[in-house]
Amino acid sequence: MGKIICRKNLKRCCVSMLNDLVSDLEQYKKIAIFGYGVEGRSFHAFAEKYLPDVAISIVDKNYADDDNYLDGLREAELIVKSPGISLHTLGIDYDAYNFTSITELFLKHFGSQIIGVTGTKGKSTLVTLIDSMLKNAGRKSLLCGNIGISPLQAIETIDEETTVVMELSSHQLHHVNHSPHIAVLTNLFPEHLDYYEDLADYYEAKFNIFRHQNARDIFIYNLQNPNNYFDTEKAPSKHTYNVFANELKNEVQFNIKNGYIHHATLQILEKLAEILEIDESTFMKTVTTFQTLPHRLEFVDEIDGVSYINDSISTIPQASMEAMKILKNVDTIILGGYDRGVDYSELVNFLRESNVKNIICFSDTGKQIYEKINEEENNKHLFYMHDLRESVKKAGECAREIVLFSPAASSFNSYKNFAERGEEFKSLVNNLKG
């Protein structure tokens, strides 16, 4: 029988769901944490508090004494896998072990209170807006998942009035068998091809956001041609909405210093406001006071009349093209990063037809873009630089209106992540002021 949680600071709903979660886990004598990152450490802290009789082990090459660390998987009855670990890359069959994840466990026990958001781009901005909109409406909201904190870190704060807003990456959704009450799919583009077997495997992971819903749940998505990806008729929920063609009821004016919210994001947010019965004034307050998240069309500085924009989050060509459309007056763009096998033909054609005068490329994909543009006659000032430092220096020499740093590629060949890359860009821009 599961251990009964009785703490005065836990309200009724949390006690019941937390008891169920603990009972679900304490049937195992040995649980392995596979990958000791943010989620792995949060599960370890949870286990120390609620699973005192369960033996917990860590399977992580950074905490192993030898190269045989994967042998620890065979000794566990349950394995809590971190999302950053690609079983495909390791050559491990998912069915070979009894895997689960924090996302799987949380969706199973708290799914009825969750608004889950996934998609190739736009997740972090959208969940931040949803959380702000709920709070502005006087409702209790918890923001967690791929942004901010692991849900286990705040599990004791959840009660029957709490809406849990979760950003869910494809890695977190891969193989889960439960879906949130309200599922949102922002968009779909090729990405993470180094993690999955193929593009279809990546998309299938995303589809778990709605695949395990029931008829009473809600699914919102924003796709121009949804049937190119999945059979919309087979979505379990009877409350399914594609907002792609929706006209916005509220026109919002943005400026370069406060940042922008993509049109597609506003379409989803308006539909959610309608479903959640949030009034127009609260919606408008939420979007007009929103400050752009770091590395997402983030205004850095204006130097000699030139605005510098940090869009390091743009790790795919489509995101960079969208950034240029939003800003309109981009005359200089900096592109390039880690090659994950993404096709850059569409971006190259877009750049050829665009009003962008200076195209500054660096790193692996930057070289590809540089060479592809040079294959045909063009009227661009095209540069291939050694690194980001040299690229920002060149931008300072030739830009007249807007310098957009929107790499259209991952950062993993030179940086820990897009955030580290974005911070270096901001630092290099600040150095231009001398």
Side-chain angles (χ1 to χ4, degrees), residues 42-305:
S42 73
F43 183 84
H44 199 181
F46 175 85
E48 287 182 331
K49 187 170 187 178
Y50 293 109
L51 303 170
D53 299 325
V54 178
I56 304 295
S57 61
I58 297 170
V59 179
D60 187 309
K61 64 180 179 180
N62 296 318
Y63 294 84
D65 295 329
D66 54 51
D67 294 335
N68 299 319
Y69 71 99
L70 291 175
D71 291 347
L73 299 177
R74 290 197 292 266
E75 301 170 5
E77 297 175 7
L78 180 71
I79 300 164
V80 180
K81 189 185 87 67
S82 294
I85 294 175
S86 168
L87 297 181
H88 168 66
T89 302
L90 292 172
I92 298 174
D93 189 340
Y94 187 82
D95 295 328
Y97 299 97
N98 186 19
F99 285 112
T100 190
S101 65
I102 287 177
T103 300
E104 168 81 359
L105 293 167
F106 203 71
L107 287 173
K108 179 179 179 181
H109 293 283
F110 292 84
S112 62
Q113 295 179 239
I114 296 174
I115 299 175
V117 176
T118 197
T120 304
K121 290 298 172 187
K123 300 183 293 296
S124 296
T125 295
L126 181 55
V127 294
T128 303
L129 283 164
I130 296 169
D131 178 62
S132 297
M133 185 169 68
L134 289 166
K135 288 183 169 71
N136 287 336
R139 303 184 193 181
K140 186 173 180 181
S141 176
L142 168 66
L143 178 60
C144 62
N146 199 47
I147 185 174
I149 62 173
S150 163
L152 293 184
Q153 291 176 258
I155 200 166
E156 293 185 1
T157 68
I158 301 170
D159 60 36
E160 65 272 20
E161 297 175 353
T162 307
T163 298
V164 181
V165 183
M166 290 189 73
E167 177 184 331
L168 296 167
S169 69
S170 59
H171 301 353
Q172 289 171 311
L173 289 168
H174 207 199
H175 302 297
V176 302
N177 294 298
H178 300 273
S179 297
H181 170 52
I182 299 179
V184 178
L185 177 62
T186 60
N187 48 51
L188 284 172
F189 299 109
E191 195 176 27
H192 302 303
L193 301 183
D194 53 338
Y195 185 101
Y196 296 93
E197 292 183 32
D198 50 31
L199 183 59
D201 190 32
Y202 166 62
Y203 286 166
E204 287 298 312
K206 290 290 189 189
F207 298 157
N208 281 333
I209 192 84
F210 68 86
R211 181 175 282 127
H212 307 289
Q213 288 186 308
N214 59 46
R216 298 182 301 278
D217 291 328
I218 297 165
F219 174 41
I220 304 169
Y221 60 98
N222 196 333
L223 298 176
Q224 183 173 9
N225 299 301
N227 288 325
N228 290 351
Y229 303 104
F230 62 89
D231 186 351
T232 55
E233 297 298 319
K234 293 184 178 179
S237 174
K238 293 181 180 178
H239 309 286
T240 297
Y241 310 94
N242 184 8
V243 300
F244 180 81
N246 286 13
E247 291 187 13
L248 292 175
K249 300 173 185 175
N250 303 283
E251 287 299 325
V252 185
Q253 299 298 317
F254 299 105
N255 65 69
I256 198 167
K257 293 187 178 181
N258 290 339
Y260 297 84
I261 302 173
H262 288 207
H263 181 86
T265 300
L266 289 172
Q267 287 172 307
I268 294 172
L269 194 67
E270 275 199 344
K271 174 54 70 173
L272 272 171
E274 176 189 324
I275 290 169
L276 299 171
E277 298 181 339
I278 291 174
D279 61 75
E280 184 178 328
S281 63
T282 301
F283 173 87
M284 290 300 293
K285 176 183 178 182
T286 301
V287 297
T288 56
T289 60
F290 177 75
Q291 292 291 316
T292 301
L293 298 178
H295 318 298
R296 296 160 174 85
L297 290 176
E298 176 190 16
F299 176 79
V300 178
D301 207 341
E302 183 178 308
I303 303 173
D304 297 330

